[in-house]
Amino acid sequence: MSTYDYIIVGAGAAGLNLALAMHADAYFKDNSILILDKDAKDKNDRTWSFWEKGTGHWDHLITKSWEKGAVKANNETIHLDLQNYTYKTLKSIKFYEFAKQTLKDSVIDWKFENVEKVVQNSSGAAVITNLETYEASFVFDSRIPSSYSLTNVNYLNVAQHFKGWVIETETDVFDDTRFIMMDYNLKDGDSTSFTYILPFTKRLALVEFTYFSPEIVEDSTYDFYLTKYIKEQLHIDQFEIKETEKGVIPMTNFPFEDFDQKHIIKIGTAGGWVKASSGYSFKNCERKSKNIIDFLKSGKEFYRDKTPKKYKHYDQIFLEVLTKENHFGEELFYRMYKNNSIQTIFRFLDEQSSFSEDLKIILNLSSSPFIKGFLRHLKAGFNA
Ligand SMILES: Cc1cc2nc3c(=O)[nH]c(=O)nc-3n(C[C@H](O)[C@H](O)[C@H](O)COP(=O)(O)OP(=O)(O)OC[C@H]3O[C@@H](n4cnc5c(N)ncnc54)[C@H](O)[C@@H]3O)c2cc1C
């Protein structure tokens, strides 16, 4: 059996953010670290976007960034002037390649194996793969617990599910200075569904038809709405599909943190790092990796997530609305973007807003479905 100080299961956004942060920190220079993944991580399997202030860790890897955006809802265009924030996009393959290159000659081993089981013992945990068994003092595990499911009625479950095409056109059609966060001009019936656009150039853009809804749709449904949106909203007749991406991101109050043990810490989506009301998590992978590093240095016995409780309550009210009154999504996000500055919204979603900012956002969202969602949350015991 091979023994390491730390084992990271999963070389995705969370695992690699953590591995790169450990690699960059002299505290871990004498430690042995192993990364295990069942996938070779040699394909561009997703595009990660996030906002941040000023320069960031991954600026040398980003494909494109924007200082302006827009939300289109209720037949109105709300212009977002990001000011001190920038919205950035990064192709996952660039991140994987950078991580492989950076960690190549380091103390960190990277193996291509399928993890079948992680079991805690008295001094650490054992990781059983299809090929070997490893031991470590701490295991950081990005496998989603098998008890999580979109159909689990014990929790509020919405998914951010989408399909996107990177399309190329023959003429200039896109305003590449402005990304579209949400365009509700085309919806699938009454559902919270919209189009998200990242214009890389005037002729190349990612166009994604997205739902925040409790049920997944057939592949052909995304294709139908993508084609319709491109033709009727963007007025494009001729285009070539250069890439396709699909995803299902949990937006839920499922208690991922409950699966943490003394020597096994769940990370990424499996650790509840996805913001339940927005579906974003890439930036959280950077922040929460730092929290884990602080914990390892602290010598404390148990890792505890530092998210202030109030945000769990806010997220739950959003989930109450989206699960029970999904038709209200357009109005909900319209009110949010119309009545608050984008800087306040980013701080709120980053869980860094002040109480007065929270109150302003909540009052602006105040409506019958939102109040009913609040009351249902209250009735459910305000458990977060
Ligand atoms: C298509 C798509 C686009 C997204 N876009 C954004 C975005 O723009 N902004 C944003 O903030 N978030 C986005 N997300 C959400 C989130 O950031 C990503 O899902 C992110 O990759 C989650 O990180 P993770 O490490 O938890 O999971 P992953 O990145 O999926 O990594 C998990 C890793 O674990 C490995 N693994 C799983 N099981 C095993 C096993 N048994 N043995 C060994 N290895 C295993 C997998 O192969 C994988 O490499 C997107 C998600 C998807 C699917």
Side-chain angles (χ1 to χ4, degrees), residues 317-335:
I317 299 167
F318 267 79
L319 290 176
E320 284 284 0
V321 177
L322 291 172
T323 48
K324 310 281 183 345
E325 307 207 45
N326 198 255
H327 64 91
F328 193 69
E330 176 176 2
E331 179 68 25
L332 183 75
F333 290 103
Y334 170 78
R335 287 176 183 226

Side-chain angles (χ1 to χ4, degrees), residues 9-15 36-39 41 45-50 87 96 113-116 142-143 162 196 245-249 267-270 274 279-283 285:
V9 176
L36 291 164
D37 202 300
K38 62 179 179 181
D39 188 272
K41 308 307 284 182
D45 52 9
R46 57 201 64 184
T47 307
W48 285 308
S49 301
F50 55 94
Y87 195 74
Y96 304 146
E113 291 175 32
N114 182 39
V115 172
E116 290 168 355
S142 38
R143 292 168 316 137
F162 53 87
Y196 169 73
E245 87 161 11
K246 260 188 92 169
V248 180
I249 305 172
I267 59 170
T269 306
V274 174
Y280 281 88
S281 82
F282 184 78
K283 194 66 191 165
C285 292

Side-chain angles (χ1 to χ4, degrees), residues 288-326:
K288 304 230 178 216
S289 293
K290 187 177 173 308
N291 293 349
I292 289 182
I293 286 181
D294 290 346
F295 158 74
L296 294 173
K297 291 180 179 174
S298 74
K300 287 187 184 147
E301 218 176 335
F302 288 98
Y303 173 72
R304 292 266 178 271
D305 187 75
K306 290 181 183 166
T307 307
K309 271 258 171 172
K310 63 175 185 175
Y311 292 107
K312 299 231 166 200
H313 292 295
Y314 303 151
D315 283 347
Q316 258 175 251
I317 299 167
F318 267 79
L319 290 176
E320 284 284 0
V321 177
L322 291 172
T323 48
K324 310 281 183 345
E325 307 207 45
N326 198 255

Side-chain angles (χ1 to χ4, degrees), residues 5-75:
D5 293 308
Y6 306 109
I7 295 177
I8 299 173
V9 176
L16 292 181
N17 259 288
L18 180 60
L20 289 165
M22 287 170 111
H23 172 72
D25 192 323
Y27 179 86
F28 300 99
K29 72 179 189 336
D30 298 322
N31 289 137
S32 52
I33 302 172
L34 170 65
I35 302 174
L36 291 164
D37 202 300
K38 62 179 179 181
D39 188 272
K41 308 307 284 182
D42 55 1
K43 285 177 208 69
N44 186 51
D45 52 9
R46 57 201 64 184
T47 307
W48 285 308
S49 301
F50 55 94
W51 53 85
E52 62 187 357
K53 274 188 188 167
T55 55
H57 259 99
W58 315 117
D59 282 357
H60 57 297
L61 300 176
I62 61 172
T63 305
K64 171 95 179 161
S65 63
W66 296 266
E67 267 77 50
K68 288 187 289 182
V71 168
K72 299 183 183 189
N74 285 354
N75 298 318

Side-chain angles (χ1 to χ4, degrees), residues 88-101:
K88 304 178 181 181
T89 281
L90 165 62
K91 282 184 186 289
S92 63
I93 187 66
K94 288 222 175 184
F95 188 64
Y96 304 146
E97 281 168 358
F98 170 74
K100 283 180 187 171
Q101 190 60 30

Side-chain angles (χ1 to χ4, degrees), residues 204-219:
L204 188 75
L206 170 68
V207 181
E208 211 151 72
F209 196 72
T210 308
Y211 294 77
F212 286 179
S213 73
E215 274 131 32
I216 309 297
V217 298
E218 296 282 327
D219 201 55

